[in-house]
Amino acid sequence: MVPLTRSFSSGGLSPSFRGFRALIVQFFFLSFLAPLFVPVVLGTLTTLTNYQSSFANVSNKVDDEVFVQLENAAIEHSIAVDSAVLGKYNLWRREYDNEHADPKVKFMRDQMTMSKVYMALAKSKSKIDIYEELLNRLKESQRVLGKANADADLPQSAPETIRAMNQVLSKAKGQLYDCKIFIRNLRGMLQSADERVRGLKKQSTFLSQLAAKTIPNAIHCLSMRLSIDYYLLPPEQRKFPKSENLEKPNLYHYALFSDNVLAASVVVNSTIMNAKEPEKHVFHLVTDKLNFGAMNMWFLLNPPGDATIHVENVDDFKWLNSSYCPVLRQLESVAMKEYYFMAAHPTTLSSGSDNWKYRNPKYLSMLNHLRFYLPQVYPKLNKILFLDDDIVVQKDLTPLWLIDLKGNVNGAVETCGESFHRFDKYLNFSNPHIAMNFDPNACGWAYGMNMFDLVEWKKKDITGIYHKWQTLNEDRALWKLGTLPPGLLTFYNLTHPLNKSWHVLGLGYNPSIDRSKIENAAVIHYNGNMKPWLELAMTKYRPYWTTYINYDHPYIKNCKLRR
């Protein structure tokens, strides 16, 4: 977009006439676009304010006689205008590309345009006499101009017509136009537009967070139908085969914690379809009580080829209780319930809108925090690959088990750049517990695909470290939300960086990821609000996910899941 303060030449316009025209052009431009381009408009206001004083000086010092002299000189010499204030008129009218050609014709057209503007103002203010004068002069100018496109085509009466029109315009300007009122009205318009933009941003935040946290009807339907059919099965038909593989440390074990049947199926399907030896892969899937039957039924009906799968209910982990787990203990406190639940229902959109995303109870879900208890859930395993349910696997992942983590517990892709995704973006370094123990410039890393060495985990008591920091954050003074901040603290100096091609992030919020990076990645991650199973997903990225869904499956067809 062209800056509003760029200069334009206006042929033979007088200073007062040109100045008013510039303000009118900017006024109408801002009237239509201010609600969308408030930052640009705010910058323009300074220019308009500075121009006000010079415009007033011209109006006070130049009488009608001088105006006539200026117009005659303008017609003959095409007076140049201060380029720093007005902006180049040929941005708006193509015929003004050559500012020295046919100045009389151009000037008459400008007069006619301004007469129409003044007529509208006169009519709105019930100045009938001014309106009729302008109308008569406009008709006369139209008659004299006719079809002329060049000064040579104008009749000899054109200069007199121009002078007469200019006198009427000057009179109209004095009676209809007040620069101070214009500036005051413009300020009010800008303030109102700015308030509307802030309100729309709050609404956008609320609606995007709401959309990201809802389950589409089709997926809800799928879960309910599967659950009903699962509990109609005889108990002996509810078991998965190859249960002997669940504790064999020499196989490739995955941890997947999810309450979304369709998302979990994509993770498993994509992993197995790209695995070179699928029979050596074992999936440990944990869900909640509501989705336990659906998860079991789906994978009983759609087993992952030669791989092994097992589904568990997080509520069956009796050792995971409030006396052991700080998150569950905090959930029982009155203050925490009020923060996450009572405050999560504001009476207005403006009430606490900046903190809506921080007050989502999902951050207290044990499916999210179960990643900090992997050795307790899988005590006989040495290594396990943790996968989020919003990822798609595109390559064989077995080489990850051969990577030497060099004594570290966590293998992950780092996410920091020059100044972003470092520790100070996630943690409160004004708190002494954080400031004394961590480097604010330390590089962040991603959850979503993490190789965990469970032997080293036990040696270093990783779960105990997590409990320490979670307990210290009971008042949310160290970090606000999620499992990444406590993960950064817990695995500080214990994370081995993996090659970035293993895990490409951002498909849930970044529309400009290089396509070659996506297609060369072993795992792509839809982290962000625009999950691939939601309507607000980015269509350019969704096919990477839908490739692993069979839309002809009876359950999916019956629930009318759309591609």
Side-chain angles (χ1 to χ4, degrees), residues 484-502:
L484 180 57
L488 297 177
L489 301 180
T490 300
F491 296 101
Y492 184 60
N493 289 333
L494 295 173
T495 298
H496 176 74
L498 301 177
N499 187 287
K500 290 184 181 297
S501 65
W502 279 110

mmCIF file with all atom_site columns, all heavy atoms in Angstrom, residues 484-502:
data_model
loop_
_atom_site.group_PDB
_atom_site.id
_atom_site.type_symbol
_atom_site.label_atom_id
_atom_site.label_alt_id
_atom_site.label_comp_id
_atom_site.label_asym_id
_atom_site.label_entity_id
_atom_site.label_seq_id
_atom_site.pdbx_PDB_ins_code
_atom_site.Cartn_x
_atom_site.Cartn_y
_atom_site.Cartn_z
_atom_site.occupancy
_atom_site.B_iso_or_equiv
_atom_site.pdbx_formal_charge
_atom_site.auth_seq_id
_atom_site.auth_comp_id
_atom_site.auth_asym_id
_atom_site.auth_atom_id
_atom_site.pdbx_PDB_model_num
ATOM 1   N N   . LEU A 1 484 ? 5.477  -28.042 28.419 1.00 0.00 ? 484 LEU A N   1
ATOM 2   C CA  . LEU A 1 484 ? 6.806  -27.699 27.913 1.00 0.00 ? 484 LEU A CA  1
ATOM 3   C C   . LEU A 1 484 ? 7.647  -26.948 28.944 1.00 0.00 ? 484 LEU A C   1
ATOM 4   O O   . LEU A 1 484 ? 8.816  -27.309 29.161 1.00 0.00 ? 484 LEU A O   1
ATOM 5   C CB  . LEU A 1 484 ? 6.705  -26.901 26.612 1.00 0.00 ? 484 LEU A CB  1
ATOM 6   C CG  . LEU A 1 484 ? 8.053  -26.485 26.010 1.00 0.00 ? 484 LEU A CG  1
ATOM 7   C CD1 . LEU A 1 484 ? 8.949  -27.694 25.750 1.00 0.00 ? 484 LEU A CD1 1
ATOM 8   C CD2 . LEU A 1 484 ? 7.856  -25.694 24.725 1.00 0.00 ? 484 LEU A CD2 1
ATOM 9   N N   . PRO A 1 485 ? 7.133  -25.896 29.620 1.00 0.00 ? 485 PRO A N   1
ATOM 10  C CA  . PRO A 1 485 ? 7.966  -25.213 30.620 1.00 0.00 ? 485 PRO A CA  1
ATOM 11  C C   . PRO A 1 485 ? 8.509  -26.135 31.709 1.00 0.00 ? 485 PRO A C   1
ATOM 12  O O   . PRO A 1 485 ? 9.717  -26.120 31.975 1.00 0.00 ? 485 PRO A O   1
ATOM 13  C CB  . PRO A 1 485 ? 7.034  -24.138 31.178 1.00 0.00 ? 485 PRO A CB  1
ATOM 14  C CG  . PRO A 1 485 ? 6.095  -23.853 30.058 1.00 0.00 ? 485 PRO A CG  1
ATOM 15  C CD  . PRO A 1 485 ? 5.860  -25.187 29.409 1.00 0.00 ? 485 PRO A CD  1
ATOM 16  N N   . PRO A 1 486 ? 7.663  -26.991 32.345 1.00 0.00 ? 486 PRO A N   1
ATOM 17  C CA  . PRO A 1 486 ? 8.252  -27.900 33.326 1.00 0.00 ? 486 PRO A CA  1
ATOM 18  C C   . PRO A 1 486 ? 9.194  -28.906 32.692 1.00 0.00 ? 486 PRO A C   1
ATOM 19  O O   . PRO A 1 486 ? 10.145 -29.372 33.326 1.00 0.00 ? 486 PRO A O   1
ATOM 20  C CB  . PRO A 1 486 ? 7.039  -28.589 33.962 1.00 0.00 ? 486 PRO A CB  1
ATOM 21  C CG  . PRO A 1 486 ? 5.937  -28.432 32.981 1.00 0.00 ? 486 PRO A CG  1
ATOM 22  C CD  . PRO A 1 486 ? 6.189  -27.129 32.312 1.00 0.00 ? 486 PRO A CD  1
ATOM 23  N N   . GLY A 1 487 ? 8.956  -29.228 31.409 1.00 0.00 ? 487 GLY A N   1
ATOM 24  C CA  . GLY A 1 487 ? 9.881  -30.116 30.711 1.00 0.00 ? 487 GLY A CA  1
ATOM 25  C C   . GLY A 1 487 ? 11.239 -29.469 30.518 1.00 0.00 ? 487 GLY A C   1
ATOM 26  O O   . GLY A 1 487 ? 12.283 -30.110 30.682 1.00 0.00 ? 487 GLY A O   1
ATOM 27  N N   . LEU A 1 488 ? 11.245 -28.171 30.167 1.00 0.00 ? 488 LEU A N   1
ATOM 28  C CA  . LEU A 1 488 ? 12.513 -27.448 30.007 1.00 0.00 ? 488 LEU A CA  1
ATOM 29  C C   . LEU A 1 488 ? 13.296 -27.445 31.314 1.00 0.00 ? 488 LEU A C   1
ATOM 30  O O   . LEU A 1 488 ? 14.524 -27.601 31.310 1.00 0.00 ? 488 LEU A O   1
ATOM 31  C CB  . LEU A 1 488 ? 12.243 -26.011 29.548 1.00 0.00 ? 488 LEU A CB  1
ATOM 32  C CG  . LEU A 1 488 ? 11.574 -25.834 28.182 1.00 0.00 ? 488 LEU A CG  1
ATOM 33  C CD1 . LEU A 1 488 ? 11.308 -24.360 27.910 1.00 0.00 ? 488 LEU A CD1 1
ATOM 34  C CD2 . LEU A 1 488 ? 12.442 -26.423 27.070 1.00 0.00 ? 488 LEU A CD2 1
ATOM 35  N N   . LEU A 1 489 ? 12.592 -27.253 32.416 1.00 0.00 ? 489 LEU A N   1
ATOM 36  C CA  . LEU A 1 489 ? 13.254 -27.249 33.725 1.00 0.00 ? 489 LEU A CA  1
ATOM 37  C C   . LEU A 1 489 ? 13.751 -28.646 34.093 1.00 0.00 ? 489 LEU A C   1
ATOM 38  O O   . LEU A 1 489 ? 14.888 -28.823 34.549 1.00 0.00 ? 489 LEU A O   1
ATOM 39  C CB  . LEU A 1 489 ? 12.289 -26.746 34.801 1.00 0.00 ? 489 LEU A CB  1
ATOM 40  C CG  . LEU A 1 489 ? 11.705 -25.338 34.625 1.00 0.00 ? 489 LEU A CG  1
ATOM 41  C CD1 . LEU A 1 489 ? 10.765 -25.011 35.772 1.00 0.00 ? 489 LEU A CD1 1
ATOM 42  C CD2 . LEU A 1 489 ? 12.812 -24.300 34.549 1.00 0.00 ? 489 LEU A CD2 1
ATOM 43  N N   . THR A 1 490 ? 12.890 -29.621 33.895 1.00 0.00 ? 490 THR A N   1
ATOM 44  C CA  . THR A 1 490 ? 13.203 -30.983 34.329 1.00 0.00 ? 490 THR A CA  1
ATOM 45  C C   . THR A 1 490 ? 14.366 -31.577 33.541 1.00 0.00 ? 490 THR A C   1
ATOM 46  O O   . THR A 1 490 ? 15.225 -32.266 34.119 1.00 0.00 ? 490 THR A O   1
ATOM 47  C CB  . THR A 1 490 ? 11.954 -31.870 34.167 1.00 0.00 ? 490 THR A CB  1
ATOM 48  O OG1 . THR A 1 490 ? 10.893 -31.340 34.956 1.00 0.00 ? 490 THR A OG1 1
ATOM 49  C CG2 . THR A 1 490 ? 12.249 -33.302 34.604 1.00 0.00 ? 490 THR A CG2 1
ATOM 50  N N   . PHE A 1 491 ? 14.407 -31.322 32.256 1.00 0.00 ? 491 PHE A N   1
ATOM 51  C CA  . PHE A 1 491 ? 15.455 -31.913 31.403 1.00 0.00 ? 491 PHE A CA  1
ATOM 52  C C   . PHE A 1 491 ? 16.557 -30.906 31.066 1.00 0.00 ? 491 PHE A C   1
ATOM 53  O O   . PHE A 1 491 ? 17.265 -31.069 30.077 1.00 0.00 ? 491 PHE A O   1
ATOM 54  C CB  . PHE A 1 491 ? 14.830 -32.453 30.110 1.00 0.00 ? 491 PHE A CB  1
ATOM 55  C CG  . PHE A 1 491 ? 13.856 -33.578 30.341 1.00 0.00 ? 491 PHE A CG  1
ATOM 56  C CD1 . PHE A 1 491 ? 12.488 -33.354 30.317 1.00 0.00 ? 491 PHE A CD1 1
ATOM 57  C CD2 . PHE A 1 491 ? 14.310 -34.870 30.600 1.00 0.00 ? 491 PHE A CD2 1
ATOM 58  C CE1 . PHE A 1 491 ? 11.587 -34.382 30.530 1.00 0.00 ? 491 PHE A CE1 1
ATOM 59  C CE2 . PHE A 1 491 ? 13.413 -35.907 30.812 1.00 0.00 ? 491 PHE A CE2 1
ATOM 60  C CZ  . PHE A 1 491 ? 12.047 -35.670 30.782 1.00 0.00 ? 491 PHE A CZ  1
ATOM 61  N N   . TYR A 1 492 ? 16.715 -29.886 31.896 1.00 0.00 ? 492 TYR A N   1
ATOM 62  C CA  . TYR A 1 492 ? 17.757 -28.875 31.681 1.00 0.00 ? 492 TYR A CA  1
ATOM 63  C C   . TYR A 1 492 ? 19.138 -29.531 31.747 1.00 0.00 ? 492 TYR A C   1
ATOM 64  O O   . TYR A 1 492 ? 19.465 -30.240 32.692 1.00 0.00 ? 492 TYR A O   1
ATOM 65  C CB  . TYR A 1 492 ? 17.642 -27.794 32.746 1.00 0.00 ? 492 TYR A CB  1
ATOM 66  C CG  . TYR A 1 492 ? 18.607 -26.642 32.578 1.00 0.00 ? 492 TYR A CG  1
ATOM 67  C CD1 . TYR A 1 492 ? 18.584 -25.857 31.430 1.00 0.00 ? 492 TYR A CD1 1
ATOM 68  C CD2 . TYR A 1 492 ? 19.528 -26.340 33.574 1.00 0.00 ? 492 TYR A CD2 1
ATOM 69  C CE1 . TYR A 1 492 ? 19.456 -24.783 31.279 1.00 0.00 ? 492 TYR A CE1 1
ATOM 70  C CE2 . TYR A 1 492 ? 20.406 -25.269 33.434 1.00 0.00 ? 492 TYR A CE2 1
ATOM 71  C CZ  . TYR A 1 492 ? 20.366 -24.500 32.282 1.00 0.00 ? 492 TYR A CZ  1
ATOM 72  O OH  . TYR A 1 492 ? 21.232 -23.440 32.136 1.00 0.00 ? 492 TYR A OH  1
ATOM 73  N N   . ASN A 1 493 ? 19.944 -29.306 30.714 1.00 0.00 ? 493 ASN A N   1
ATOM 74  C CA  . ASN A 1 493 ? 21.278 -29.920 30.575 1.00 0.00 ? 493 ASN A CA  1
ATOM 75  C C   . ASN A 1 493 ? 21.220 -31.441 30.479 1.00 0.00 ? 493 ASN A C   1
ATOM 76  O O   . ASN A 1 493 ? 22.236 -32.119 30.676 1.00 0.00 ? 493 ASN A O   1
ATOM 77  C CB  . ASN A 1 493 ? 22.199 -29.517 31.730 1.00 0.00 ? 493 ASN A CB  1
ATOM 78  C CG  . ASN A 1 493 ? 22.610 -28.054 31.634 1.00 0.00 ? 493 ASN A CG  1
ATOM 79  O OD1 . ASN A 1 493 ? 22.658 -27.488 30.543 1.00 0.00 ? 493 ASN A OD1 1
ATOM 80  N ND2 . ASN A 1 493 ? 22.901 -27.447 32.774 1.00 0.00 ? 493 ASN A ND2 1
ATOM 81  N N   . LEU A 1 494 ? 20.047 -31.975 30.201 1.00 0.00 ? 494 LEU A N   1
ATOM 82  C CA  . LEU A 1 494 ? 19.886 -33.425 30.060 1.00 0.00 ? 494 LEU A CA  1
ATOM 83  C C   . LEU A 1 494 ? 19.220 -33.778 28.724 1.00 0.00 ? 494 LEU A C   1
ATOM 84  O O   . LEU A 1 494 ? 18.679 -34.863 28.563 1.00 0.00 ? 494 LEU A O   1
ATOM 85  C CB  . LEU A 1 494 ? 19.036 -33.988 31.212 1.00 0.00 ? 494 LEU A CB  1
ATOM 86  C CG  . LEU A 1 494 ? 19.649 -33.885 32.617 1.00 0.00 ? 494 LEU A CG  1
ATOM 87  C CD1 . LEU A 1 494 ? 18.638 -34.309 33.675 1.00 0.00 ? 494 LEU A CD1 1
ATOM 88  C CD2 . LEU A 1 494 ? 20.916 -34.746 32.714 1.00 0.00 ? 494 LEU A CD2 1
ATOM 89  N N   . THR A 1 495 ? 19.269 -32.835 27.768 1.00 0.00 ? 495 THR A N   1
ATOM 90  C CA  . THR A 1 495 ? 18.620 -33.038 26.467 1.00 0.00 ? 495 THR A CA  1
ATOM 91  C C   . THR A 1 495 ? 19.663 -33.056 25.357 1.00 0.00 ? 495 THR A C   1
ATOM 92  O O   . THR A 1 495 ? 20.474 -32.140 25.239 1.00 0.00 ? 495 THR A O   1
ATOM 93  C CB  . THR A 1 495 ? 17.586 -31.931 26.195 1.00 0.00 ? 495 THR A CB  1
ATOM 94  O OG1 . THR A 1 495 ? 16.557 -31.997 27.196 1.00 0.00 ? 495 THR A OG1 1
ATOM 95  C CG2 . THR A 1 495 ? 16.957 -32.083 24.826 1.00 0.00 ? 495 THR A CG2 1
ATOM 96  N N   . HIS A 1 496 ? 19.612 -34.105 24.558 1.00 0.00 ? 496 HIS A N   1
ATOM 97  C CA  . HIS A 1 496 ? 20.527 -34.234 23.416 1.00 0.00 ? 496 HIS A CA  1
ATOM 98  C C   . HIS A 1 496 ? 19.822 -33.728 22.162 1.00 0.00 ? 496 HIS A C   1
ATOM 99  O O   . HIS A 1 496 ? 18.715 -34.189 21.832 1.00 0.00 ? 496 HIS A O   1
ATOM 100 C CB  . HIS A 1 496 ? 20.926 -35.702 23.228 1.00 0.00 ? 496 HIS A CB  1
ATOM 101 C CG  . HIS A 1 496 ? 21.786 -35.939 22.021 1.00 0.00 ? 496 HIS A CG  1
ATOM 102 N ND1 . HIS A 1 496 ? 23.108 -35.574 21.970 1.00 0.00 ? 496 HIS A ND1 1
ATOM 103 C CD2 . HIS A 1 496 ? 21.486 -36.504 20.816 1.00 0.00 ? 496 HIS A CD2 1
ATOM 104 C CE1 . HIS A 1 496 ? 23.609 -35.912 20.793 1.00 0.00 ? 496 HIS A CE1 1
ATOM 105 N NE2 . HIS A 1 496 ? 22.644 -36.475 20.070 1.00 0.00 ? 496 HIS A NE2 1
ATOM 106 N N   . PRO A 1 497 ? 20.413 -32.767 21.426 1.00 0.00 ? 497 PRO A N   1
ATOM 107 C CA  . PRO A 1 497 ? 19.736 -32.223 20.236 1.00 0.00 ? 497 PRO A CA  1
ATOM 108 C C   . PRO A 1 497 ? 19.767 -33.209 19.061 1.00 0.00 ? 497 PRO A C   1
ATOM 109 O O   . PRO A 1 497 ? 20.815 -33.719 18.690 1.00 0.00 ? 497 PRO A O   1
ATOM 110 C CB  . PRO A 1 497 ? 20.544 -30.957 19.921 1.00 0.00 ? 497 PRO A CB  1
ATOM 111 C CG  . PRO A 1 497 ? 21.897 -31.204 20.509 1.00 0.00 ? 497 PRO A CG  1
ATOM 112 C CD  . PRO A 1 497 ? 21.678 -32.059 21.717 1.00 0.00 ? 497 PRO A CD  1
ATOM 113 N N   . LEU A 1 498 ? 18.593 -33.448 18.491 1.00 0.00 ? 498 LEU A N   1
ATOM 114 C CA  . LEU A 1 498 ? 18.481 -34.291 17.310 1.00 0.00 ? 498 LEU A CA  1
ATOM 115 C C   . LEU A 1 498 ? 18.537 -33.423 16.051 1.00 0.00 ? 498 LEU A C   1
ATOM 116 O O   . LEU A 1 498 ? 18.253 -32.224 16.098 1.00 0.00 ? 498 LEU A O   1
ATOM 117 C CB  . LEU A 1 498 ? 17.157 -35.066 17.326 1.00 0.00 ? 498 LEU A CB  1
ATOM 118 C CG  . LEU A 1 498 ? 16.899 -35.991 18.515 1.00 0.00 ? 498 LEU A CG  1
ATOM 119 C CD1 . LEU A 1 498 ? 15.518 -36.617 18.395 1.00 0.00 ? 498 LEU A CD1 1
ATOM 120 C CD2 . LEU A 1 498 ? 17.975 -37.070 18.605 1.00 0.00 ? 498 LEU A CD2 1
ATOM 121 N N   . ASN A 1 499 ? 18.876 -34.031 14.935 1.00 0.00 ? 499 ASN A N   1
ATOM 122 C CA  . ASN A 1 499 ? 18.858 -33.313 13.666 1.00 0.00 ? 499 ASN A CA  1
ATOM 123 C C   . ASN A 1 499 ? 17.442 -32.796 13.385 1.00 0.00 ? 499 ASN A C   1
ATOM 124 O O   . ASN A 1 499 ? 16.460 -33.505 13.593 1.00 0.00 ? 499 ASN A O   1
ATOM 125 C CB  . ASN A 1 499 ? 19.304 -34.248 12.538 1.00 0.00 ? 499 ASN A CB  1
ATOM 126 C CG  . ASN A 1 499 ? 19.476 -33.521 11.218 1.00 0.00 ? 499 ASN A CG  1
ATOM 127 O OD1 . ASN A 1 499 ? 18.504 -33.144 10.574 1.00 0.00 ? 499 ASN A OD1 1
ATOM 128 N ND2 . ASN A 1 499 ? 20.720 -33.324 10.813 1.00 0.00 ? 499 ASN A ND2 1
ATOM 129 N N   . LYS A 1 500 ? 17.349 -31.560 12.906 1.00 0.00 ? 500 LYS A N   1
ATOM 130 C CA  . LYS A 1 500 ? 16.051 -30.920 12.719 1.00 0.00 ? 500 LYS A CA  1
ATOM 131 C C   . LYS A 1 500 ? 15.163 -31.651 11.712 1.00 0.00 ? 500 LYS A C   1
ATOM 132 O O   . LYS A 1 500 ? 13.942 -31.489 11.723 1.00 0.00 ? 500 LYS A O   1
ATOM 133 C CB  . LYS A 1 500 ? 16.238 -29.465 12.300 1.00 0.00 ? 500 LYS A CB  1
ATOM 134 C CG  . LYS A 1 500 ? 16.792 -28.574 13.398 1.00 0.00 ? 500 LYS A CG  1
ATOM 135 C CD  . LYS A 1 500 ? 16.857 -27.127 12.962 1.00 0.00 ? 500 LYS A CD  1
ATOM 136 C CE  . LYS A 1 500 ? 17.432 -26.246 14.060 1.00 0.00 ? 500 LYS A CE  1
ATOM 137 N NZ  . LYS A 1 500 ? 16.586 -26.227 15.269 1.00 0.00 ? 500 LYS A NZ  1
ATOM 138 N N   . SER A 1 501 ? 15.735 -32.441 10.832 1.00 0.00 ? 501 SER A N   1
ATOM 139 C CA  . SER A 1 501 ? 14.921 -33.154 9.847  1.00 0.00 ? 501 SER A CA  1
ATOM 140 C C   . SER A 1 501 ? 14.081 -34.262 10.484 1.00 0.00 ? 501 SER A C   1
ATOM 141 O O   . SER A 1 501 ? 13.154 -34.775 9.847  1.00 0.00 ? 501 SER A O   1
ATOM 142 C CB  . SER A 1 501 ? 15.810 -33.741 8.750  1.00 0.00 ? 501 SER A CB  1
ATOM 143 O OG  . SER A 1 501 ? 16.678 -34.725 9.284  1.00 0.00 ? 501 SER A OG  1
ATOM 144 N N   . TRP A 1 502 ? 14.403 -34.623 11.712 1.00 0.00 ? 502 TRP A N   1
ATOM 145 C CA  . TRP A 1 502 ? 13.601 -35.634 12.386 1.00 0.00 ? 502 TRP A CA  1
ATOM 146 C C   . TRP A 1 502 ? 12.214 -35.112 12.742 1.00 0.00 ? 502 TRP A C   1
ATOM 147 O O   . TRP A 1 502 ? 11.248 -35.877 12.820 1.00 0.00 ? 502 TRP A O   1
ATOM 148 C CB  . TRP A 1 502 ? 14.293 -36.115 13.666 1.00 0.00 ? 502 TRP A CB  1
ATOM 149 C CG  . TRP A 1 502 ? 15.362 -37.139 13.440 1.00 0.00 ? 502 TRP A CG  1
ATOM 150 C CD1 . TRP A 1 502 ? 16.711 -36.993 13.589 1.00 0.00 ? 502 TRP A CD1 1
ATOM 151 C CD2 . TRP A 1 502 ? 15.170 -38.494 13.010 1.00 0.00 ? 502 TRP A CD2 1
ATOM 152 N NE1 . TRP A 1 502 ? 17.370 -38.159 13.285 1.00 0.00 ? 502 TRP A NE1 1
ATOM 153 C CE2 . TRP A 1 502 ? 16.443 -39.110 12.927 1.00 0.00 ? 502 TRP A CE2 1
ATOM 154 C CE3 . TRP A 1 502 ? 14.044 -39.252 12.676 1.00 0.00 ? 502 TRP A CE3 1
ATOM 155 C CZ2 . TRP A 1 502 ? 16.613 -40.430 12.532 1.00 0.00 ? 502 TRP A CZ2 1
ATOM 156 C CZ3 . TRP A 1 502 ? 14.206 -40.581 12.287 1.00 0.00 ? 502 TRP A CZ3 1
ATOM 157 C CH2 . TRP A 1 502 ? 15.492 -41.148 12.215 1.00 0.00 ? 502 TRP A CH2 1
#
